[in-house]
Amino acid sequence: MLGYMTRRLVILLLSLVAAAIVLFVLLRLLPGDPANALVGVGATPEQIEAARAQLGSDQSLLVQFVAYLGDLARFDLGQSFVSRAPVIEEISRRLSVTLPLTFAAFFLAMLLAIPLGIVAAVKARRWYGLVLSVVSQVGIAVPVFWLGILLVYQFSLTLRWLPSGGFPLRGYEDPGRAVQSMILPVLTIALIMTASLMRYVRSATLDVLDSDFLRTARALGESRTGALMRHGLRNAAVPVVSVLGIELSTTFLGAVVVEQVFSLPGLGSMLLLGIQQRDYPNVQGVLIVSTLLVLLVGFLADILQRVLDPRLRKEGGR
C-alpha cells in the first residue's frame, strides 16, 4: 500500500508539471499582448516596450519558461501583471469563497443522494422507486445555470427570502450575510449533483442486491435490509467512491459558472477577469491551483477505494 501511494504521488507531481507546461504554452499562443493591458489604450510604442521589459515578456519564451518553473518550485505563483499583487494571496482570498461553496454543495448532495439512491434500488418495483429514478434522469439534463436562475426567481424575486447574489465586503466577518449569500449557490450545485449521484448509487446497490454473497446471507436467515446493511453497502461503496471523486472535481470546476450566476468573488471571476486582461500570472495561478485540487481529489479517492476493498490493495501491491 505504501509503495502504491508513493507511485501515485509521483504520478500526481508529474501530472502537475505536465499541466504547468501545457498552460504556459497555450497562454503564450493566445493573440494579444499583456503589455497593452498594463499601459492602456493610446500608449506609445516606447511605453509598450517599457511595459514588456517590466513584465519580462520581452525575453525569449525559454527564459520565461525557466523562470516560471523556478517560481513554481518555490511555490511562487508570481505577481499580477495588472494589480502587481501576489497571485497566491489573491487566490487564497478567493478560495475562501470557492472551497466552502464546493464542499457544502458536495456534502449536501451526498446526504441526499446516498439514501435516495439506495431507496430507489431497494424499492425499484414500487412507484416511488420509479419516481426517484425518473427524477434523477431529469435532473442530470438540467443546466446548472438555468436551475440557478430559477432558484433566484423563486426565492429572491418572488418570495424575497434570500439575496439574489453578491457576497458581503467584509466576508465572513459578517457570518449571517455570508451564509445567506451561499444558500442558493449551494442548493444549485447540490441539486444537480444529487441527481447524478443518485443514478450511480442506485446502480451500485442493484449490483450488490443481485450478488451471490447477499443471497447467501439471506439464505442464512438475514432479512434483505439487514443483509444489505451488514454486507452490501461496503461493497457498493467501492465504485461510488470513484464517482464521488469525479463529482467533487467536476463541482469544483463547475463552481466557476455558478459564481458568475450569483456574482460571487471566487476563483471563477478571477479566472475570467485574468483572461480578459491577458493577466498570465493570474490565469496560470488559478488553473494550476485548480489542477492541483482535482489531482488531489483523484488521489484521495483512489486511496479510499483501496482501504474499502482489500482486493485492490493486493493488485496495487504487485
Side-chain angles (χ1 to χ4, degrees):
M1 187 67 176
L2 182 60
Y4 177 80
M5 291 178 62
T6 303
R7 291 195 299 272
R8 289 288 288 122
L9 281 174
V10 171
I11 293 173
L12 186 151
L13 292 175
L14 292 177
S15 300
L16 187 62
V17 171
I21 294 172
V22 171
L23 290 175
F24 179 88
V25 173
L26 290 180
L27 286 175
R28 267 64 184 182
L29 291 177
L30 292 176
D33 191 339
N36 293 328
L38 185 64
V39 297
V41 180
T44 64
E46 292 77 14
Q47 290 174 324
I48 294 176
E49 286 300 325
R52 288 186 182 132
Q54 180 183 352
L55 299 176
S57 59
D58 60 334
Q59 299 176 340
S60 67
L61 286 179
L62 180 60
V63 172
Q64 294 182 52
F65 180 66
V66 171
Y68 168 64
L69 289 184
D71 290 340
L72 280 183
R74 298 191 301 272
F75 303 101
D76 181 5
L77 298 178
Q79 291 184 330
S80 167
F81 284 170
V82 178
S83 67
R84 306 305 295 167
V87 174
I88 191 67
E89 293 182 5
E90 182 68 11
I91 288 178
S92 299
R93 185 176 69 83
R94 291 177 178 264
L95 278 176
S96 67
V97 175
T98 300
L99 288 183
L101 170 64
T102 301
F103 285 113
F106 178 71
F107 286 117
L108 178 58
M110 282 200 303
L111 288 175
L112 294 173
I114 292 175
L116 291 178
I118 293 173
V119 170
V122 174
K123 304 297 183 181
R125 297 182 181 180
R126 301 288 184 88
W127 66 268
Y128 49 89
L130 179 61
V131 168
L132 288 174
S133 299
V134 172
V135 168
S136 68
Q137 293 295 328
V138 173
I140 294 171
V142 175
V144 65
F145 68 88
W146 183 84
L147 179 60
I149 294 171
L150 185 63
L151 292 178
V152 166
Y153 175 78
Q154 183 64 37
F155 292 101
S156 298
L157 302 181
T158 303
L159 299 175
R160 301 185 182 277
W161 288 353
L162 296 167
S164 60
F167 198 73
L169 293 176
R170 292 186 299 163
Y172 295 102
E173 294 179 10
D174 188 356
R177 289 190 60 196
V179 171
Q180 279 188 335
S181 66
M182 283 287 194
I183 291 176
L184 288 183
V186 167
L187 278 177
T188 300
I189 298 174
L191 291 176
I192 296 296
M193 192 192 303
T194 297
S196 178
L197 285 177
M198 275 179 58
R199 183 181 63 172
Y200 290 109
V201 172
R202 178 181 181 275
S203 177
T205 306
L206 285 174
D207 289 341
V208 168
L209 289 173
D210 292 335
S211 61
D212 293 335
F213 69 86
L214 205 68
R215 283 195 290 268
T216 301
R218 294 192 64 191
L220 293 175
E222 290 196 46
S223 64
R224 190 185 190 193
T225 302
L228 178 64
M229 297 296 293
R230 290 188 59 186
H231 308 288
L233 290 186
R234 180 168 179 171
N235 288 276
V238 175
V240 172
V241 164
S242 178
V243 174
L244 286 175
I246 296 172
E247 288 291 332
L248 180 56
S249 302
T250 304
T251 301
F252 177 75
L253 298 175
V256 172
V257 177
V258 175
E259 287 172 0
Q260 293 304 302
V261 172
F262 292 96
S263 301
L264 296 177
L267 286 184
S269 59
M270 182 179 177
L271 177 62
L272 293 179
L273 184 62
I275 293 173
Q276 292 170 2
Q277 297 177 336
R278 306 294 181 190
D279 197 344
Y280 292 157
N282 273 355
V283 175
Q284 288 174 169
V286 171
L287 294 178
I288 285 293
V289 170
S290 301
T291 302
L292 176 60
L293 290 173
V294 170
L295 291 173
L296 283 174
V297 168
F299 171 77
L300 294 175
D302 205 6
I303 297 303
L304 183 57
Q305 276 188 307
R306 279 156 176 76
V307 170
L308 292 173
D309 193 341
R311 295 170 299 178
L312 295 178
R313 291 203 294 272
K314 293 178 181 179
E315 292 174 4
R318 289 201 295 266

